[in-house]
Amino acid sequence: MQELTIDKAKTALVVIDLQKGIVAQQTKPYLAQDVIANASKLVDTFRKNDMLVFLAHVVITKETMLKVLSDESFSSFSVPPVDWSEFVPEISPTSKDIVITKRQWGAFYGTDLELQLRRRGMSTIVLCGISTDFGVESTARFAYEYGFQQIFAEDAMASRSEEQHNAAVNFIFKRIGRVRKTDEILKALQ
């Protein structure tokens, strides 16, 4: 594995769904609080380096909820608590951050994320968040198809099970980008 180098002028951080309603769920192989702590380190470092931070969160309503027939689904829709889609306080948006509101798993489809990245000259994204195999993976697959270079902060993401997390990391992310620990990414940004 080659040493990680990051072009600060062309790299943005994309944080997926670190919002109150999602981090309240059980996660593996890392606890949500550990994911938040590592993501917060990345957010702080990107901000200190005057690098772009994109904070994506999902906002669902009964009207915008996908109604797909499937063998296994999430629980039926109920009105979420008022603060369900609010970002966790550790990564609260600043005036320089770009907030992406999405209505489905991925942060590209139905949003202006690609446009915002391209207009700012970004060619690489660092991805983190919850859930590894839903929001992060969906975003990563689109990013790959759009030609973005990707770095995955493996210990700044988690899923519903260790198996789901590891499958995304080992069988998808390693084929479409570079998988690193938070500390390795931070070191490359020094």
Side-chain angles (χ1 to χ4, degrees):
M1 190 179 318
Q2 71 184 75
E3 185 176 338
L4 183 64
T5 58
I6 295 175
D7 182 345
K8 293 179 186 178
K10 295 184 177 184
T11 303
L13 176 65
V14 179
V15 181
I16 304 294
D17 296 340
L18 290 187
Q19 59 192 69
K20 293 178 181 179
I22 291 179
V23 302
Q25 300 170 18
Q26 182 177 331
T27 61
K28 294 187 179 182
Y30 306 104
L31 298 174
Q33 287 304 353
D34 295 333
V35 170
I36 293 166
N38 284 331
S40 180
K41 289 178 196 174
L42 290 168
V43 168
D44 291 344
T45 300
F46 270 72
R47 287 174 179 162
K48 286 176 187 164
N49 282 291
D50 290 319
M51 297 169 71
L52 288 174
V53 173
F54 288 82
L55 300 173
H57 65 144
V58 64
V59 177
I60 55 170
T61 65
K62 189 172 186 170
E63 295 75 26
T64 61
M65 182 98 171
L66 293 174
K67 296 161 186 76
V68 178
L69 297 176
S70 61
D71 291 328
E72 187 177 323
S73 67
F74 295 98
S75 58
S76 60
F77 183 83
S78 60
V79 177
V82 176
D83 65 348
W84 191 87
S85 63
E86 288 179 14
F87 293 103
V88 294
E90 294 87 341
I91 63 158
S92 290
T94 68
S95 60
K96 291 186 176 183
D97 297 334
I98 300 164
V99 173
I100 301 294
T101 299
K102 57 194 191 77
R103 309 277 180 208
Q104 65 289 317
W105 293 343
F108 281 103
Y109 181 79
T111 75
D112 66 348
L113 177 58
E114 181 196 13
L115 177 70
Q116 297 290 344
L117 289 164
R118 298 246 190 251
R119 288 209 175 153
R120 288 166 171 79
M122 298 296 109
S123 59
T124 302
I125 61 173
V126 174
L127 271 169
C128 64
I130 296 174
S131 180
T132 308
D133 57 322
F134 289 101
V136 178
E137 183 177 333
S138 180
T139 302
R141 286 173 180 257
F142 266 83
Y144 174 76
E145 291 173 359
Y146 285 138
F148 288 101
Q149 300 299 318
Q150 298 183 83
I151 301 166
F152 300 97
E154 187 273 337
D155 57 350
M157 59 180 76
S159 187
R160 292 171 174 242
S161 74
E162 189 167 351
E163 294 80 13
Q164 287 172 271
H165 173 85
N166 289 339
V169 169
N170 293 320
F171 300 118
I172 304 300
F173 297 165
K174 288 182 178 181
R175 291 181 179 266
I176 63 176
R178 295 164 286 167
V179 176
R180 300 294 188 272
K181 298 289 186 187
T182 298
D183 286 343
E184 293 174 80
I185 297 168
L186 295 173
K187 181 180 175 191
L189 291 170
Q190 288 179 342

